Amino acid sequence: MKFELHSNFKPTGDQPEAIQKLCQNIKNGVKHQVLLGITGSGKTYTLANVINKIQKPVLILSPNKTLATQLYQEFQQFFPNNFVGFFISYYDYYQPEAYIPTTDTYIAKDAKINKYIDELRVNAVSNLISRNDIIIVASVSAIYGIGDLSIYEKAKLILQIGDKIKRQELNQKLVSLQYKNQNIDPESGCFRWRENTIEIFLPTGIEILEVEFKQNIIINIKTKTNILRKEPNKISLPKLYTNYQESNHKQYTIYPATLFFTDKQKLQYAIKSIKSELKQELTKLKKQKKIVEYERLKKRTNYDIEMLTTTGYCNGIENYSRHLNFKNLGDPPFTLLGYYHYKFNNDFLIFVDESHITIPQLKGMYWGDRSRKETLINFGFRLPSALDNRPLKFNEFEQQISQIIYTSATPKEWEIKKSQGHIIEQLVRPTGIIDPKIEVRPCKTQIPDLVAEIEKQIKKGEKTLVLTLTKRSAQDLTDFLLAKNIKTSYLHSDIKPLQRPKIIEKLRTGDIDVIVGINLLREGLDLPEVTLIAILDADKEGYLRNKIALLQAIGRAARNTEGRAILYADTITDSIKQTIYETNRRRQIQQQYNKTHNITPTTIYKEIKKSFVNYTDTSEELNKLTNNQKNVLKYLEKELQQAIKAWDFEKAAKLRDEIKKYKENNKKLNTE
C-alpha cells in the first residue's frame, strides 16, 4: 500500500523548495541531510510531503516522550490510511538495578510498566513485520535491546477456516506463545473459551480475535477492533470494547504475546550456555579468593536458571539476552532500528527530530549503561554477559543508518559536518509570522518586572512561558505567582513524562496562564497561545543559556503575531549577541519574503487535542505539595518542639524522621 498524505493545506513559503531539495538528495543517494527549520515553519508537514513523494518506510526519532506523542498524533492525521506506530519506553517509573560499593548498598530493579504503551510497542513491531507503508515514532528506546525479530516472526501461529485442531492443542500453542488462559477479566495477551469459540485478546490491545469451532474444525474467524483505541485523540481503557467494528477473515496470523520471546528448545540451549558462563566466572572468582562475590553470583544465577527452567521467565531476564538471542560477545543487540535494517535492507528513511539534543542522547546512552553494569559484575551480582544487555553504541547506530534527515532550528556542529553541505534552510513561516523581537532588561528588577508583564498578558488573554535555571527556583517562582493569584504551574523533570501534556493542555485551554520551567520548555512545544517568553538570568553563560538554548526558547513565541521575548541580563554575553544576530538575520529574510509576496502575518490556529495516553494526572497534587511544603515543615518542626517539651519522645522520633524525609526531598529540587 502506498503512503497517502491527507491535508487541507498545500506547501507554501519556502516549504516547496525544501521538499524538492530533500527529495532530490534522497534520490541521489545522499546519506546525511539537515533540515534547518525554524519554529512554526512547518517542518513536520515538510517531512510528511517527503514521505508522500519518496514512498519509503520511515523511523522518526524524538528526544522525549512529550514530543514523540505530539509527532505521533500529527503523523496519524497526515496518514490516516497508513500505519503510524508509537515506540517509547513503556515504564511510568524505572529504577535500574545498581550497587553502590562505598555504602555496600544494593538497589534492586524497580519498575512500573504502562500497559497501554506496551501494547502500542507490540502493535508497532507486528505491523513492521507485515507491511511497508509504515511510520514509527520512537524515542531513544529505538536503540535499546529487545527480542530477536526473526524468532518473533517465525513463532507465528496461522489459523485458517477448515483447519482441524483440538482445544487442548490450541491452548498449548497459545501458552507456548506466552498467552495466558484467563477466563475472568481477561486483558491483552490472554485468551478464554466461550463454548465452541475461543477469544484471543491480542497483545496490541486493539483487537479481539474470535475463532469458532465445530467438532475441532475452524468454521469462522473474525476480529473485533476497538474503534476508540484506533483514534489517537480518544482515551479508552484497554478492556473497553463497547465500540468496535467486526471483520471476517479466511486466515489470521497470531504473533507471540511479548517481544521478548524464545521458544522452549532454544531456551534449553540458552540455559546450558548460562550454566557454562557461570561455571567459568565462579572458577575465576574462586582463584581471586572473592568468597562473597562467589557465593552471591552462585546463589542469584542458579535461582534465575531455576526460574527460566520452570517458567521460561525470571526477573532481569534481559541480562541474559546474549544467551537467549545466541549472540557472540560484544555483538550489537536486537533493536527497533535493527528491525528496520533487517526488514527493509537499508531502503528506509530516518528523521531525527530536534537533532541538537537527540544525537547527544544517542551518543551517551551506551557508556552510562555500561558503567552501572560493570559495578554489578565486579561485585558478583551479574554475569559478564549482562554487558550485552545494552543500547547500541553510537558507531553501531551509524552503521545501521540508511538515509537520514536531521531536523532542528539550531543544528550542532556534528550534524552540519555530517551533512557535507546538504543543509536545507526553512526560515519562512506559511503564516508569515516573523521571529519574535528580543528585548534585554536588567536582572536586578526581573521579578517585579516579570509580574507586571504577566499581568498585562492576562488582560490580553495571552499566555507566558518563563525559564529559570533550577527546579527550586522554578517551584519558588510558581509559589510566588500563585500567591499573587496568577494561575501558574511548573514543568520540569520531576513531573512524569506522561503528565506533561496535561499541563500544556491546561495552558492552551486557559486553566493556567503561565508555565515556569527550566529546559523542558525549549524543545518543540507547539503553543500558539504563547506570546511572551521570559528568560531569567539570561547572562548566566552555560548549557541552559548558550546560543542554541536561547534560540530554542525564543522560538516558542514564534507561532503568534504578538510573539516577543524578554531576556533578563546585566551583561550582554557572546551567546546573547549571537542569538540577537541570528534572530535579526532571520527576521530580515522573513520580512523581505512577506513584502515580496504581499503576505500579512496571521497567528497559527491549532486544535487542542486531548492526550491519547491514559494516565493518572497527579500534577495538581504535586503543585499543592510544593505550595504547602514550607508550611508543612514549619508545622512539623513546631509539633516536634511541643513533643520534646511534653517528654513524648516516641512521637518526637517519628516527627524527626518526617522532617528529615521532607528536607531530603527538598535537596533534590535544587538542581536540574
Side-chain angles (χ1 to χ4, degrees):
M1 188 172 179
K2 286 188 173 183
F3 287 107
E4 295 179 4
L5 175 61
H6 287 247
S7 176
N8 295 324
F9 307 101
K10 292 183 178 180
T12 59
D14 50 4
Q15 287 177 336
E17 185 180 357
I19 295 166
Q20 189 271 326
K21 286 182 178 178
L22 289 166
C23 291
Q24 190 59 53
N25 286 339
I26 293 170
K27 291 176 182 177
N28 292 340
V30 174
K31 190 170 184 177
H32 300 267
Q33 298 186 75
V34 171
L35 174 60
L36 196 162
I38 60 172
T39 302
S41 64
K43 293 191 292 293
T44 304
Y45 183 57
T46 295
L47 294 176
N49 276 274
V50 170
I51 295 172
N52 194 53
K53 289 180 178 295
I54 297 298
Q55 293 290 321
K56 289 187 178 185
V58 175
L59 174 63
I60 303 172
L61 298 178
S62 178
N64 58 55
K65 292 181 178 180
T66 303
L67 280 179
T69 301
Q70 181 177 301
L71 287 168
Y72 174 60
Q73 293 176 327
E74 288 179 347
F75 276 100
Q76 280 204 320
Q77 290 181 330
F78 285 140
F79 297 100
N81 299 328
N82 306 107
F83 180 78
V84 180
F86 194 59
F87 194 95
I88 65 172
S89 171
Y90 52 31
Y91 296 114
D92 280 340
Y93 166 79
Y94 182 68
Q95 170 61 64
E97 183 183 30
Y99 178 66
I100 306 171
T102 52
T103 57
D104 189 28
T105 304
Y106 171 73
I107 304 170
K109 176 183 173 181
D110 187 18
K112 181 183 178 183
I113 292 176
N114 186 304
K115 181 70 173 174
Y116 183 28
I117 294 177
D118 189 25
E119 291 167 352
L120 289 170
R121 285 164 59 98
V122 174
N123 193 31
V125 172
S126 59
N127 277 276
L128 181 59
I129 292 172
S130 59
R131 57 197 300 173
N132 294 332
D133 61 323
I134 187 164
I135 303 166
I136 296 179
V137 180
S139 65
V140 291
S141 289
I143 68 165
Y144 273 81
I146 52 179
D148 185 347
L149 181 62
S150 61
I151 295 176
Y152 178 88
E153 186 176 8
K154 289 175 183 175
K156 61 190 177 187
L157 170 62
I158 300 174
L159 300 177
Q160 60 183 13
I161 293 176
D163 282 353
K164 186 175 183 179
I165 184 170
K166 293 181 179 179
R167 176 182 292 206
Q168 186 177 358
E169 183 185 353
L170 180 56
N171 287 354
Q172 288 175 345
K173 287 185 177 183
L174 288 172
V175 169
S176 71
L177 295 177
Q178 298 187 10
Y179 287 84
K180 297 177 182 177
N181 191 342
Q182 190 168 313
N183 287 321
I184 300 173
D185 201 24
E187 58 183 8
S188 59
C190 297
F191 68 92
R192 67 180 178 185
W193 284 90
R194 293 283 193 248
E195 297 181 349
N196 293 321
T197 299
I198 188 173
E199 293 179 330
I200 304 170
F201 294 76
L202 298 175
T204 61
I206 297 173
E207 292 178 317
I208 301 174
L209 177 66
E210 292 187 354
V211 184
E212 187 181 356
F213 290 81
K214 186 177 181 179
Q215 297 179 348
N216 297 326
I217 296 175
I218 298 174
I219 61 172
N220 190 27
I221 300 173
K222 69 178 178 182
T223 52
K224 291 182 177 180
T225 303
N226 188 334
I227 298 171
L228 292 178
R229 285 295 299 275
K230 288 184 74 177
E231 296 183 25
N233 304 325
K234 300 284 183 73
I235 298 175
S236 61
L237 298 174
K239 291 174 282 190
L240 182 61
Y241 284 88
T242 55
N243 292 279
Y244 61 81
Q245 60 185 22
E246 293 187 358
S247 301
N248 293 310
H249 306 269
K250 293 182 179 180
Q251 178 180 293
Y252 200 90
T253 302
I254 303 171
Y255 291 101
T258 174
L259 298 178
F260 294 93
F261 178 80
T262 302
D263 61 49
K264 283 187 177 181
Q265 187 177 5
K266 290 187 176 181
L267 182 60
Q268 290 174 357
Y269 289 124
I271 290 171
K272 287 181 181 179
S273 181
I274 295 168
K275 286 180 177 178
S276 176
E277 185 187 11
L278 175 62
K279 185 178 178 180
Q280 293 176 13
E281 194 63 16
L282 290 177
T283 302
K284 178 182 171 183
L285 292 172
K286 193 172 183 179
K287 286 182 180 179
Q288 295 173 345
K289 297 182 180 181
K290 293 184 176 180
I291 307 303
V292 174
E293 290 82 355
Y294 176 95
E295 291 297 333
R296 183 184 285 152
L297 185 64
K298 181 180 178 182
K299 182 180 178 180
R300 287 172 59 86
T301 310
N302 280 330
Y303 177 78
D304 288 346
I305 290 171
E306 185 178 347
M307 292 297 295
L308 285 168
T309 304
T310 56
T311 68
Y313 180 83
C314 70
N315 288 327
I317 189 173
E318 63 276 6
N319 289 292
Y320 302 105
S321 59
R322 183 204 294 175
H323 303 282
L324 294 167
N325 294 328
F326 302 95
K327 292 270 190 180
N328 296 316
L329 174 67
D331 283 351
F334 294 110
T335 65
L336 180 68
L337 175 59
Y339 285 5
Y340 270 84
H341 192 70
Y342 165 83
K343 172 72 185 295
F344 303 116
N345 194 27
N346 270 340
D347 194 23
F348 66 97
L349 300 176
I350 299 174
F351 300 156
V352 182
D353 189 47
E354 303 290 353
S355 61
H356 61 284
I357 51 173
T358 306
I359 293 299
Q361 283 183 356
L362 295 171
K363 288 181 177 180
M365 291 296 165
Y366 171 78
W367 291 110
D369 181 83
R370 185 177 181 89
S371 176
R372 177 177 58 82
K373 288 203 176 80
E374 282 180 338
T375 303
L376 288 167
I377 292 165
N378 292 336
F379 288 89
F381 290 94
R382 289 293 173 193
L383 292 170
S385 59
L387 288 174
D388 286 327
N389 166 39
R390 60 176 178 83
L392 292 173
K393 300 175 184 176
F394 192 68
N395 68 308
E396 293 169 341
F397 168 79
E398 289 188 284
Q399 289 168 7
Q400 296 185 14
I401 288 174
S402 53
Q403 290 180 297
I404 189 166
I405 298 174
Y406 310 98
T407 69
S408 174
T410 53
K412 285 190 172 181
E413 188 63 32
W414 187 88
E415 300 102 283
I416 293 171
K417 186 177 179 181
K418 276 287 184 180
S419 67
Q420 297 182 339
H422 297 290
I423 302 171
I424 292 88
E425 286 194 329
Q426 192 168 297
L427 304 179
V428 176
R429 298 181 177 89
T431 57
I433 295 175
I434 62 176
D435 276 25
K437 288 183 179 179
I438 299 175
E439 187 178 353
V440 181
R441 298 183 184 180
C443 288
K444 188 177 180 180
T445 56
Q446 61 184 4
I447 299 302
D449 187 84
L450 174 64
V451 172
E453 289 294 335
I454 290 173
E455 289 173 344
K456 292 177 186 176
Q457 289 281 106
I458 294 172
K459 287 180 181 178
K460 293 187 291 183
E462 297 172 357
K463 307 300 180 184
T464 304
L465 301 183
V466 183
L467 273 70
T468 65
L469 283 171
T470 67
K471 295 177 187 177
R472 168 58 64 84
S473 58
Q475 295 186 183
D476 286 348
L477 181 58
T478 298
D479 292 345
F480 180 79
L481 294 174
L482 285 168
K484 290 187 172 292
N485 295 318
I486 296 172
K487 295 181 291 184
T488 309
S489 181
Y490 63 81
L491 184 62
H492 55 57
S493 59
D494 280 357
I495 305 297
K496 293 181 179 180
L498 294 180
Q499 292 167 357
R500 295 169 196 165
K502 189 69 175 178
I503 296 174
I504 295 165
E505 182 185 310
K506 285 184 176 182
L507 182 78
R508 298 199 63 202
T509 56
D511 292 332
I512 57 177
D513 294 310
V514 182
I515 292 181
V516 183
I518 309 163
N519 64 339
L520 294 177
L521 292 178
R522 295 186 289 113
E523 317 302 345
L525 295 182
D526 190 357
L527 303 170
E529 296 80 10
V530 172
T531 59
L532 173 61
I533 302 294
I535 303 175
L536 304 184
D537 301 305
D539 55 357
K540 300 294 188 293
E541 191 81 70
Y543 171 70
L544 296 175
R545 296 295 182 265
N546 60 29
K547 175 189 171 184
I548 289 176
L550 293 174
L551 282 171
Q552 285 287 335
I554 292 166
R556 296 313 109 208
R559 297 181 183 273
N560 195 296
T561 56
E562 303 300 318
R564 60 196 178 102
I566 299 175
L567 277 57
Y568 292 98
D570 293 325
T571 305
I572 305 298
T573 63
D574 287 341
S575 293
I576 293 175
K577 286 180 184 177
Q578 292 170 17
T579 299
I580 293 173
Y581 172 81
E582 178 62 17
T583 301
N584 288 337
R585 182 184 78 86
R586 295 176 181 182
R587 282 174 59 87
Q588 188 175 357
I589 294 171
Q590 294 155 359
Q591 288 171 332
Q592 184 59 49
Y593 184 91
N594 289 349
K595 184 179 179 180
T596 303
H597 296 84
N598 196 27
I599 294 173
T600 301
T602 54
T603 297
I604 292 173
Y605 171 78
K606 192 174 183 69
E607 180 188 358
I608 301 174
K609 296 177 288 190
K610 298 286 184 181
S611 175
F612 74 95
V613 178
N614 192 20
Y615 61 85
T616 302
D617 181 21
T618 59
S619 57
E620 287 92 351
E621 283 74 18
L622 288 169
N623 277 325
K624 287 176 185 176
L625 176 62
T626 304
N627 298 337
N628 297 323
Q629 208 163 44
K630 293 177 183 178
N631 292 332
V632 170
L633 283 170
K634 286 180 182 178
Y635 173 79
L636 290 174
E637 288 169 349
K638 185 179 178 181
E639 287 289 298
L640 174 61
Q641 293 304 318
Q642 290 178 355
I644 293 171
K645 288 179 181 179
W647 290 31
D648 189 350
F649 297 114
E650 184 177 355
K651 183 180 179 181
K654 290 180 180 178
L655 288 165
R656 179 200 62 199
D657 292 338
E658 281 296 315
I659 291 169
K660 183 180 178 182
K661 185 166 67 175
Y662 265 95
K663 288 182 176 179
E664 286 176 350
N665 288 337
N666 281 344
K667 285 181 181 179
K668 296 176 181 179
L669 302 176
N670 287 328
T671 58
E672 169 74 343

